[in-house]
Amino acid sequence: MNTPGNVYLVPTVLSPDALFSIPAYVTVIVQRLSVFYVENERTARRYLKALDRNINIDALQLLIMNENQPPDVTIGRKLLLEGKDIGILSEAGCPAIADPGHLVVQMAHSIDARIIPMIGPNSMLLALMASGMNGQNFQFVGYLPVKGPERIKTIRELETTSERKQQTQLFIEAPYRNNQLLKDIVDNCKDGTRVCVAADITAPTEYIKTKTVKEWKKQLPDLHKRPAIFLIQAG
Amino acid sequence: MNTPGNVYLVPTVLSPDALFSIPAYVTVIVQRLSVFYVENERTARRYLKALDRNINIDALQLLIMNENQPPDVTIGRKLLLEGKDIGILSEAGCPAIADPGHLVVQMAHSIDARIIPMIGPNSMLLALMASGMNGQNFQFVGYLPVKGPERIKTIRELETTSERKQQTQLFIEAPYRNNQLLKDIVDNCKDGTRVCVAADITAPTEYIKTKTVKEWKKQLPDLHKRPAIFLIQAG
């Protein structure tokens, strides 16, 4: 049996024009790949062209994966077993974390293909670094519930867990609900709980601030439709 | 009052010779900085010189921070308030997560200084990407207890939590105890629980595999003294 091909996890920018955040070796690898799993063909083509304008975009095989359409791992499996390398590219930051790319990675492990995660921007990690909060013990829980009582219950539970375990709690929200989320946090957490807001990471408008609930109460930033991540640490 | 200086979170390599993992803009920023909080003066100097051999290492002000010596944030506060930029550099990967750099970041937030997290390698993030496990809900808990019964209890609790919340559990161990940890996981988790071992990330010997406990039981890799991170997902 041949050695299977490699799976390269290809990072992309978190904000337009932030190509500085992609290490040069990513381009060198991308130049060698002709098959990519992508969330959106158009943005994937635009990004690859931005990395190297000489890439023949039309010759690439782009396999779609998104919320509505899980990746067809049968194709990837066949190509890997033929010894072909493939790439996985998400819409923002590092792939195979908050996108269906992890299903391709699972398939690759099952055939003992090599998986190579490449360095690039990731909003959770950058927010955690810049928050000043505990990075030895933290939890990312994705989106909070949308509905009032359940949402507030979750915020309070996260605060209690944070206090009990001295654990940093990270979460996100649909960008058009960011202002409401920050208000819900400030209205429902203790005055001494620290809250970090990290928005527009790597963009010229990047905004990262950690304050106590009491301090935030004086003034809240406008986060409407800005990609953001929220962190709390109690106690 | 002047605008305070900026705090740059400067990533470093996870393995020697892996300069490819550091984006070029890191060097551009580093060239402008003359004050750094560092965990180890010697390795910091060596790394900065590797980024740019023209940096006058002897002219830099290196402020020590490590397990035994918390950073003197008074000096940093004074410099930032004078408008001076400072850098934070850890021994491996992205700073201010698993090192005392977060105390400097906390101080910087308290005087409203800008904190700029820079993109670089981080073993937790790279392991999570390459694991194929759930990246929408995960928890990093640092080191497990060293002693037998408490250690096994913790491993079982992590497995139960993972199953209940469909949450990926990440943890680490002192490198000379890695083999024992993997054995403890395999001996105490269910056959169907998936375990990812990610060792020597970004090194030529990089090893990242996800298998079920049942599959691992057939053969365990030698992880002795190799920097590694462990992930489990049950159910």
Side-chain angles (χ1 to χ4, degrees), chain B residues 1 51 68 70-71 118 135 150-151 159-160 212 229:
Chain B
M1 205 180 89
L51 283 183
N68 308 314
M118 301 176 78
E150 206 188 332
R151 181 180 174 94
E159 187 186 38
T160 307
T212 61
I229 183 155

Side-chain angles (χ1 to χ4, degrees), chain A residues 127 130-131 133 159 171 178-199 206-223 226 228-233, chain B residues 109-110 112-113 115:
Chain A
S131 68
M133 294 183 184
E159 188 186 36
F171 43 93
N178 280 338
N179 284 341
Q180 187 57 51
L181 176 57
L182 185 53
K183 192 169 178 309
D184 287 343
I185 295 169
V186 165
D187 286 348
N188 292 285
C189 289
K190 293 179 189 170
D191 269 357
T193 292
R194 284 185 292 149
V195 178
C196 178
V197 175
E206 181 174 272
Y207 174 89
I208 309 177
K209 290 283 173 202
T210 299
K211 297 176 194 283
T212 61
V213 165
K214 190 177 179 180
E215 286 163 350
W216 279 120
K217 276 179 177 165
K218 293 178 203 159
Q219 195 177 357
L220 296 179
D222 184 10
L223 302 170
R226 297 165 72 181
I229 183 153
F230 299 84
L231 301 86
I232 65 170
Q233 191 178 345
Chain B
H109 278 297
S110 77
D112 228 14
I115 292 129

Side-chain angles (χ1 to χ4, degrees), chain A residues 9 20-21 25 96-97 105-106 109 112 119-120 122 125 129-130 132 135-140 142 167 194 209-210, chain B residues 9 20-21 25 96-97 105-106 109 112 119-120 125 129-130 132 135-140 142 167 194 209-210:
Chain A
L9 305 181
F20 66 84
S21 64
Y25 85 119
I97 291 190
V105 175
Q106 277 177 27
H109 278 297
D112 227 14
I119 285 91
N122 174 269
L125 178 71
M129 290 162 68
Q136 299 270 31
N137 194 339
F138 65 90
Q139 171 173 251
F140 175 73
Q167 185 180 55
R194 284 185 292 149
K209 290 283 173 202
T210 299
Chain B
L9 304 181
F20 65 84
S21 64
Y25 86 118
I97 291 189
V105 174
Q106 278 177 26
H109 278 297
D112 228 14
I119 286 90
L125 178 73
M129 291 163 69
Q136 299 270 31
N137 194 340
F138 64 90
Q139 172 172 250
F140 175 73
Q167 185 179 55
R194 283 184 293 147
K209 289 285 173 201
T210 300

Side-chain angles (χ1 to χ4, degrees), chain B residues 66-81:
Chain B
N66 55 49
E67 275 178 58
N68 308 314
Q69 188 177 338
D72 181 343
V73 296
T74 318
I75 303 175
R77 191 173 184 278
K78 183 170 171 291
L79 293 168
L80 287 172
L81 288 173

Side-chain angles (χ1 to χ4, degrees), chain A residues 2 15 28 62 73 78 144 173 203 211 217 233:
Chain A
N2 295 333
S15 71
V28 176
L62 300 184
V73 296
K78 183 170 171 289
L144 299 199
E173 181 50 286
K211 297 176 194 283
K217 276 179 177 165
Q233 191 178 345

Side-chain angles (χ1 to χ4, degrees), chain B residues 101-123:
Chain B
H102 74 281
L103 298 171
V104 182
V105 174
Q106 278 177 26
M107 172 276 293
H109 278 297
S110 77
I111 58 169
D112 228 14
R114 196 171 158 211
I115 292 129
I116 298 149
M118 301 176 78
I119 286 90
N122 174 270
S123 55

